[in-house]
Amino acid sequence: MKRTLIGAVMALLAWAAIMLVMPFAGPPGRQVAVVGDTGKALRTIADAGGRVVAVRKNAVLAVTSDDTGFVWRLYRNGAPLVIEGRIAAACFPIATR
């Protein structure tokens, strides 16, 4: 039982690390998700020069701009958490009014 629990915790930590690192890796123009307050996320994306793709409950999906510093600009402009967008799209339900 203890070994299974340790394995599950290690897998969860590895998944979290991948989700946090993925926005910094890969080519410019990929999707990222800004997690947090929707209004603040929309302003943060606009201030950083990104384009909103979809609004989800507690997350906003955006396409990065064509330069490699976009994710850093999101954090500098107040994004609490930026994760990989394609995977995040399946994790957050579509926002309803």
Side-chain angles (χ1 to χ4, degrees), residues 34-47 60 74 77-80:
V34 178
V35 180
D37 176 68
T38 303
K40 184 177 179 182
L42 290 168
R43 285 187 300 277
T44 301
I45 292 166
D47 291 345
V60 176
L74 286 171
N77 284 308

Side-chain angles (χ1 to χ4, degrees), residues 4 15 23 28 30 33 38 40 44 46 50-51 63-64 75 79 81 85 93 96:
T4 302
W15 177 81
R30 67 199 176 285
T38 303
K40 184 177 179 182
T44 301
R51 182 174 52 88
V63 172
T64 63
Y75 280 118
L81 179 64
T96 58

Side-chain angles (χ1 to χ4, degrees), residues 64-87:
T64 63
S65 62
D66 289 333
D67 67 279
T68 57
F70 178 69
V71 175
W72 288 117
R73 284 198 312 276
L74 286 171
Y75 280 118
R76 279 194 305 270
N77 284 308
L81 179 64
V82 180
I83 59 176
E84 202 283 325
R86 292 171 297 162
I87 296 170

